[in-house]
Amino acid sequence: MKISALFSLILLLNTPLTSSANTPIYGKVFNDVDRTQVLTHLKEMTGVLPIIVDDRVLYLTDRYSAESKANFRKYWTKTMSAYGLTVQEMPYTTQHSTIEAKGHNLEAILPGKVKDSIVIIVHYDSMGAPGHETFNPAVDDDMTGMATQIETARVLTQYKDNLHYTVRFVAADFEEWPTPGLEGAREYAKYLKTLSEKENFKIIAAIDDEQSGWNCAKENKCLDKTTIPKLLINDCSTDHKYESKALSGQFASVIQEFSTLPVVTAC
């Protein structure tokens, strides 16, 4: 979590990392991350703690049903707005209309000195086993990522006057559903591509905090087969169209500077 906020800040400040002595703001933002805040949001978004929506006390035990997803969007909007971000709901025509008439993405914008943008995107929908779709609070997939995103927003708003790039926090719908997978993210990508061309700004990078809390060792799926906690960086795409070796290298240098967490890069 601290690495995500810190790395995002480096990108947004557009300043090369040298050392903590020369870049004290990076060490400060690393220490600004609040574990209690992260865990509280995680528990609120997965039904462990209650939330208040429209003056009602309720529990977000799933984000599969239309009602549950609508309650989550209200929670996310209220949280991001409290940080001073401008939030918009972005409905689109979904191929899963048996569940909802529309899909719904959310975007919260933190303006920088330029419109060129960093995107921090996390999906919010959940899905349980067939016939029991609402039985899954989806703590790991992907409310660990969402809690990371929300805390990153909280931290970065404290540095809004220093930000070079604009940051767009996105909560994407209908990721879990196949055909097409990643539907909400695809819809947002189309929207942002069109907007960037119209308003003449660049999309610098996208960060997806997918399954930020996954314990690979517990499922015996760690790449190096050890039980040591680690950070996995996926730094390319299967078609090699979006290679990001320089980005992952900078990410690794951040970790080495401020953390003892081992890094594994993979494609």
Side-chain angles (χ1 to χ4, degrees), residues 56-94:
R56 294 180 299 132
V57 177
L58 52 86
Y59 289 84
L60 277 175
T61 54
D62 76 281
R63 292 166 313 284
Y64 176 85
S65 70
E67 180 182 7
S68 295
K69 288 165 70 175
N71 286 331
F72 170 82
R73 291 193 295 272
K74 291 175 182 177
Y75 170 91
W76 193 90
T77 298
K78 179 181 178 181
T79 302
M80 292 300 205
S81 297
Y83 297 153
L85 305 183
T86 301
V87 179
Q88 66 168 330
E89 185 166 320
M90 309 169 74
Y92 66 88
T93 301
T94 178

Side-chain angles (χ1 to χ4, degrees), residues 88-126:
Q88 66 168 330
E89 185 166 320
M90 309 169 74
Y92 66 88
T93 301
T94 178
Q95 296 189 38
H96 308 296
S97 55
T98 55
I99 300 298
E100 295 184 81
K102 295 281 187 179
H104 302 82
N105 291 332
L106 297 167
E107 180 190 59
I109 299 178
L110 177 57
K113 293 182 174 63
V114 299
K115 282 190 174 182
D116 294 348
S117 297
I118 306 291
V119 178
I120 302 179
I121 185 168
V122 179
H123 76 87
Y124 68 87
D125 60 313
S126 69

